[in-house]
Amino acid sequence: MKNNNLILGLLGGITAGTVLGILFAPAKGSETRKIIADKGSELNDNLKDSVCKLTDKITQTFTELKNDSQKMLGNNSDILAEQRADLENLKEINKAVILG
């Protein structure tokens, strides 16, 4: 979460600095508008890249968690099967002892 806030803060700072720099630069209005449009497009591309990277990271983390949970469930199933087998063995031993 802190990384997301940092990224958004950096993008906001870059955007504000770029806009202010362009607005106070001595250039014709048409040139300034073109520069603003180009920078806006560049920032849009950077934002899309950041969102794609974040989405990939979330997907990767989700997949890892899913795999880990499936391994844990598989291990628990094995343990339960062993305990059931031990219980059946104990039943048989108790029958043999009781029936003598």
Side-chain angles (χ1 to χ4, degrees):
M1 194 62 137
K2 290 181 182 180
N3 289 338
N4 293 344
N5 290 338
L6 178 65
I7 291 170
L8 290 175
L10 287 173
L11 288 175
I14 291 170
T15 302
T18 301
V19 169
L20 289 174
I22 291 171
L23 290 176
F24 289 108
K28 293 189 333 186
S30 60
E31 291 174 14
T32 302
R33 286 190 296 276
K34 182 178 179 347
I35 291 171
I36 290 173
D38 291 344
K39 291 295 181 178
S41 177
E42 180 181 325
L43 287 173
N44 187 30
D45 291 342
N46 289 340
L47 183 60
K48 284 180 184 178
D49 288 342
S50 296
V51 169
C52 285
K53 287 177 184 176
L54 181 61
T55 302
D56 290 344
K57 183 65 176 170
I58 290 171
T59 301
Q60 178 186 1
T61 302
F62 179 77
T63 301
E64 289 172 1
L65 287 172
K66 181 181 170 186
N67 291 339
D68 290 347
S69 65
Q70 286 176 342
K71 286 178 188 176
M72 288 174 56
L73 287 174
N75 291 341
N76 288 340
S77 296
D78 293 342
I79 291 169
L80 281 173
E82 290 173 12
Q83 289 179 348
R84 283 185 184 140
D86 290 344
L87 183 60
E88 290 300 320
N89 288 337
L90 285 174
K91 283 174 152 179
E92 293 301 320
I93 291 170
N94 283 337
K95 281 183 189 177
V97 170
I98 291 173
L99 297 176

